[in-house]
Amino acid sequence: MTRQTLEIWVGVFVAAGIAALFMLAMKVSNLSTVNTGDTYEVTAQFDNIGGLSIRSPVKASGVLVGRVSDIKYDKDYNVAVVTLSIQKRFDRFPSDSRASIYTAGLLGEQYIELVPGIEETYLEEGSDIIMADSALILENLVGRVISEIISK
Amino acid sequence: MLSYLNKIADNFGPLGKKGIVSFERLGRSALFLLRVFQSIPFVFLRPWLFIQQLYSVGVLTIIIIFVAGTFVGMVLGLQGYNILVRFNSESSLGTMVGLTLVRELGPVVTALLFAGRAGSALTAELGLMKTTDQFSALEMMAVDPFKRVIAPRFLAGFFSMPLLAAIFSAVGIYGGYYVGVYLLGVDDGAYWAQMQKSVDFHEDFMNGVWKSIVFGFVATWIALFEGYDSVPTSEGIGRATTQSVVNASLAVLALNFILTALMLETS
């Protein structure tokens, strides 16, 4: 085998390897959907966040507009403080928007749905969402239904 | 009384010797690695040696990786579909195939195949070189065998393992795609969308790449050391080749557990 053919084969190998890495990164992993743009952060207090976790999606009308960037427990008020990183290009959420924790499907992952309000001022860096609905805990619902059945 | 003690000592002697020998080899392998590291800068002076090794270690391993990847992916597609269809969730087939390949099977199976295909060849090659006194001949000519022979092979193995693992995963995902989407009728868009939704770039993809880098390092190290340290007889080469594949496979499997535990810890 001549030196040139050997070099060609090695070149093909390296190119195939890099192409595979690239394919895995772009087509298989979520790199292409990770928002790289600027974000602004708003906070919301929930009594119960259920299974919400950092990097959970934040959606408006079902469209991904940001992600949960931090979850803390406020020991003075005994609530969970969730920080939402919303992409800068979605900067027209009225300041009285409502944040609710929903579940995708019956057993799917939990996400925050933003429902726009009617105020003419908008959410911006550091603002606080006042209206926040806790997660619906399936066990609680089932428990309530059962206790109702029993009390009848 | 003394004869009894002697008898006991005679039985325990070989056991102790075995222990000492294995520690000795462990120490030698560490020193071996150190010398390889010292010689690596010299490879950049003669890149042709590296390219030659990249051919025999990387290019020649592609075929087995390609075939194995396709079939592993196809089996994952088939098995995954049969399980998921019971829960009416065959649309998450992409998630299953993608995550299994990128996180576990890609790096691990590639490393096992790599140890069998490339590692054994490296061991046998070095073993024969040692048996025929080629290392001594090189040293006689004031050529350091570490710089000339071992370091290029080490770099080639280290470099080609991540690429091979990536090829394995990519091919496997298409294998699963073929079975799932073409043969069994999973929705085309759902396959890719579900996969993209659940395979995280940092936590899944990069962890897989890190694993393959570590496996490449360890498998090449073991293969080269077993060859370099082999008993210079034809029997010795045979034993060294077997040992190389066995040890590299075991090391990869054990390391895989440790790495997975570490990575799950941090995420």
Side-chain angles (χ1 to χ4, degrees):
Chain A
M1 183 175 288
T2 65
R3 184 168 173 151
Q4 200 189 0
T5 39
L6 201 147
E7 275 172 349
I8 291 171
W9 276 110
V10 171
V12 168
F13 166 59
V14 174
I18 290 171
L21 277 174
F22 190 74
M23 176 262 172
L24 288 176
M26 299 312 290
K27 197 160 183 185
V28 174
S29 84
N30 61 356
L31 188 64
S32 54
T33 55
V34 166
N35 64 70
T36 46
D38 289 337
T39 57
Y40 63 98
E41 296 193 331
V42 300
T43 53
Q45 278 98 30
F46 295 95
D47 290 332
N48 192 334
I49 58 166
L52 201 72
S53 62
I54 291 175
R55 290 189 49 76
S56 288
V58 176
K59 295 178 179 179
S61 310
V63 178
L64 186 74
V65 295
R67 289 194 181 274
V68 172
S69 59
D70 191 28
I71 296 174
K72 282 202 199 78
Y73 186 72
D74 186 334
K75 62 178 180 177
D76 295 327
Y77 296 98
N78 292 323
V79 288
V81 180
V82 176
T83 309
L84 319 177
S85 287
I86 301 172
Q87 290 174 50
K88 273 259 165 68
R89 55 197 169 112
F90 304 112
D91 58 353
R92 288 287 180 273
F93 285 111
S95 52
D96 62 340
S97 295
R98 175 182 285 270
S100 323
I101 299 178
Y102 286 145
T103 309
L106 197 57
L107 301 167
E109 59 166 358
Q110 294 198 298
Y111 65 95
I112 292 185
E113 176 83 29
L114 280 177
V115 181
I118 50 168
E119 282 288 336
E120 283 176 10
T121 53
Y122 298 115
L123 286 178
E124 53 194 14
E125 177 75 38
S127 45
D128 190 43
I129 296 175
I130 299 160
M131 300 214 269
D133 299 331
S134 291
L136 277 181
I137 311 288
L138 202 61
E139 287 88 333
N140 289 354
L141 286 182
V142 173
R144 222 177 288 165
V145 170
I146 289 176
S147 67
E148 213 151 277
I149 292 171
I150 291 172
S151 63
K152 271 178 190 171
Chain B
M1 185 65 199
L2 203 65
S3 65
Y4 266 126
L5 283 179
N6 271 338
K7 255 187 190 155
I8 294 172
D10 282 349
N11 283 326
F12 276 95
L15 209 66
K17 196 183 170 195
K18 223 172 186 176
I20 290 170
V21 165
S22 41
F23 275 112
E24 203 185 328
R25 290 203 77 205
L26 198 65
R28 267 213 302 279
S29 69
L31 292 174
F32 173 85
L33 188 65
L34 211 66
R35 274 191 77 184
V36 172
F37 281 153
Q38 282 173 347
S39 322
I40 280 177
F42 295 92
V43 177
F44 297 104
L45 299 177
R46 294 185 194 78
W48 170 242
L49 291 175
F50 171 63
I51 291 171
Q52 247 175 338
Q53 290 313 313
L54 210 53
Y55 179 80
S56 61
V57 170
V59 176
L60 294 180
T61 318
I62 285 189
I63 299 165
I64 185 174
I65 292 293
F66 204 87
V67 175
T70 315
F71 283 110
V72 167
M74 283 166 78
V75 166
L76 277 178
L78 207 58
Q79 293 276 22
Y81 180 84
N82 274 327
I83 294 168
L84 291 171
V85 80
R86 286 187 212 169
F87 307 107
N88 253 343
S89 53
E90 66 270 20
S91 57
S92 27
L93 183 69
T95 303
M96 201 200 107
V97 174
L99 279 180
T100 351
L101 278 172
V102 171
R103 277 166 71 147
E104 289 295 331
L105 287 185
V108 173
V109 177
T110 309
L112 296 179
L113 292 172
F114 181 82
R117 169 65 187 76
S120 59
L122 286 176
T123 309
E125 199 182 2
L126 289 194
L128 193 70
M129 278 183 165
K130 192 181 180 189
T131 313
T132 50
D133 277 334
Q134 291 186 41
F135 289 140
S136 312
L138 282 175
E139 272 165 9
M140 292 283 282
M141 295 186 286
V143 177
D144 185 351
F146 274 86
K147 292 175 188 163
R148 176 90 198 176
V149 178
I150 294 172
R153 282 168 174 73
F154 181 80
L155 266 192
F158 182 63
F159 187 72
S160 45
M161 218 345 253
L163 297 181
L164 290 171
I167 293 174
F168 185 95
S169 299
V171 167
I173 284 166
Y174 277 107
Y177 175 79
Y178 174 73
V179 170
V181 175
Y182 278 100
L183 301 184
L184 298 170
V186 174
D187 183 58
D188 183 2
Y191 184 85
W192 293 112
Q194 292 284 335
M195 191 186 293
Q196 236 175 43
K197 216 166 123 186
S198 49
V199 180
D200 188 67
F201 179 74
H202 293 285
E203 274 165 24
D204 301 319
F205 172 74
M206 281 315 286
N207 280 1
V209 172
W210 276 117
K211 270 186 186 177
S212 60
I213 290 174
V214 173
F215 294 165
F217 177 88
V218 171
T220 321
W221 173 25
I222 291 176
L224 290 175
F225 177 70
E226 290 286 354
Y228 185 75
D229 200 53
S230 61
V231 182
T233 56
S234 45
E235 195 195 2
I237 298 175
R239 205 182 310 139
T241 314
T242 315
Q243 279 296 313
S244 153
V245 177
V246 170
N247 287 348
S249 307
L250 290 180
V252 162
L253 292 172
L255 268 176
N256 181 41
F257 174 73
I258 296 170
L259 286 177
T260 311
L262 280 177
M263 283 161 179
L264 288 181
E265 184 95 346
T266 51
S267 64

